Amino acid sequence: MSKQSIFKNIGVQVVIAMIIGALAGFALGEQAAIFAPLGTIFISLVKMLVIPLVLVSIVAGAASLGNSPAAGKIGVGTFGFFIATSGLAVALALVMGSVFKPGMGVDFTGHGHDLMTVTAEQGKVPGVMDTLIGMIPTNVFESLTGGNILQILVFSIFFGIALTKVKGDGAKPIISGLNTVVDAFVWMINCVMVIAPIGVFGLMADSVGTFGFQALEVVIKLFLVFVVAILIYGFIVFPLLVKTFSNVPARKFISAMKKPQVMALSTASSMATLPINMETCEEELGVSKATTAFVLPLGATINMSGNAIYYGLVAMFFAQMYNVDLTVMAYVAIIFTSTLGAIGQAGVPGPSFLVVAVLLAAGIPIDGLPLLFALDRVFDMIRTSLNITGDAACAVILDKFSPENQNQ
């Protein structure tokens, strides 16, 4: 009976699918690409639901929080938490890079063929004013069809707060209807999750078959230091924050996060993991529906502490490889660019060209980046698992300000 219940667990099924997929990719090599459509179908189904889920859940969450005097605390606290933890993540990366020196003695000779070229233009980051202007949608329907998450978030928060300002009880049916729609989306996503193991198998088989593990040999020290930094942040820093600033025990938090972490590891997408993370926070960690609906979609878009660690370590890696002596201002540039860049990166898988901007800001050559981009899927899987852990930690900590807890 116990064994049957274990194998019925979606998290266990996904882990098994990852292992089988990796073995299939290793055995078949590039021929494993025949399984790629399985992963594509799964990710497409999730993406089909995520954009409307984000829209509706943020509106519902903002509306639920809007009448509470604690709404401002949750809003400011969410952004403050994401900025602070991302900055701390970069600092940890710089310290570990200085101590373990992953770039010393690395030679890329013979590994530059058949790789994409990287230009400074690809790492161009818009200015602060351009970013702020770009967050405001001129046509919200165009933002929805184009999948511009930041613009959707701005409109959703604005609209959700506006609903709370409607006089009388006119907005109550709309808010109730929005919560019903959220429940309907959760049901649809649970249906999609039934095929998650099949999709994960396809994703892993294609990734391992396409890239293999040979390229990791060149940057193995960087990879190991990166994994250790992720583990420190995910299993020490975030649990300590949860233990210190919330009523949830650290051990309970770590245990509950296993399922969303596995999903993040396999899909390399914070957005694809969002439904599982929301379910975990509500049902296992006791976070209120309003806080979950507001914090997690926001975090899946702008909270990227795993990316921040990656940017900081890659900067140290290439600085050491090219014997670049980093000044104090260079370190400041790395921290500033990495933090802002991590916050502004969308929660979907793909090559992280923002690391180009980080290197350029510190005066570090970008010639060796193509090899890391070839391995980006591997790094992305790991850093995404930390990103969604940070989202959940923020929700757990800030839930003490939710209307439900304020009324107790």
Side-chain angles (χ1 to χ4, degrees), residues 22-302:
L23 292 173
F26 184 77
L28 297 175
E30 293 185 0
Q31 291 181 350
I34 61 173
F35 298 117
L38 297 176
T40 303
I41 290 171
F42 170 64
I43 293 296
S44 296
L45 285 169
V46 173
K47 285 182 177 179
M48 174 184 73
L49 300 174
V50 162
I51 296 296
L53 173 64
V54 168
L55 172 70
V56 178
S57 63
I58 284 284
V59 172
S64 299
L65 295 172
N67 280 325
S68 167
K73 293 180 181 179
I74 293 180
V76 173
T78 299
F79 283 99
F81 182 91
F82 292 159
I83 292 172
T85 53
S86 293
L88 183 61
V90 183
L92 172 65
L94 295 180
V95 170
M96 294 194 67
S98 299
V99 172
F100 295 104
K101 302 187 185 309
M104 292 296 289
V106 174
D107 184 11
F108 273 107
T109 306
H111 293 276
H113 61 283
D114 296 330
L115 293 176
M116 60 195 291
T117 56
V118 180
T119 65
E121 188 66 26
Q122 289 170 313
K124 187 177 180 181
V125 177
V128 175
M129 287 308 300
D130 290 334
T131 301
L132 290 175
I133 293 171
M135 290 172 63
I136 302 171
T138 55
N139 184 336
V140 69
F141 297 104
E142 187 177 310
S143 302
L144 286 168
T145 56
N148 191 317
I149 299 293
L150 281 177
Q151 291 185 355
I152 294 170
L153 286 174
V154 169
F155 173 81
S156 301
I157 293 171
F158 198 14
F159 183 56
I161 294 172
L163 285 174
T164 67
K165 306 306 176 183
V166 175
K167 294 180 180 180
D169 295 333
K172 285 186 177 180
I174 297 176
I175 296 173
S176 177
L178 287 170
N179 287 323
T180 301
V181 173
V182 171
D183 291 339
F185 274 121
V186 170
W187 182 88
M188 294 169 72
I189 287 166
N190 285 334
C191 290
V192 173
M193 286 301 119
V194 172
I195 67 165
I198 299 173
V200 167
F201 166 78
L203 289 169
M204 287 301 297
D206 181 44
S207 295
V208 174
T210 301
F211 300 115
F213 297 105
Q214 296 85 353
L216 269 177
E217 296 173 5
V218 185
V219 293
I220 188 64
K221 195 171 182 182
L222 169 65
F223 179 75
L224 292 176
V225 175
F226 172 71
V227 170
V228 171
I230 293 289
L231 291 175
I232 289 173
Y233 220 76
F235 290 94
I236 297 178
V237 176
F238 280 138
L240 275 178
L241 290 174
V242 168
K243 180 181 179 181
T244 305
F245 298 107
S246 79
N247 298 322
V248 176
R251 185 172 296 180
K252 180 180 180 181
F253 177 77
I254 293 172
S255 177
M257 288 307 297
K258 289 177 183 176
K259 187 164 74 171
Q261 284 171 346
V262 167
M263 186 59 65
L265 194 67
S266 58
T267 62
S269 171
S270 296
M271 283 296 174
T273 312
L274 178 59
I276 297 288
N277 211 10
M278 292 177 72
E279 179 186 18
T280 298
C281 284
E282 283 186 41
E283 297 184 6
E284 297 187 41
L285 295 175
V287 180
S288 69
K289 193 169 185 177
T291 303
T292 299
F294 180 81
V295 174
L296 292 189
L298 199 61
T301 306
I302 67 172

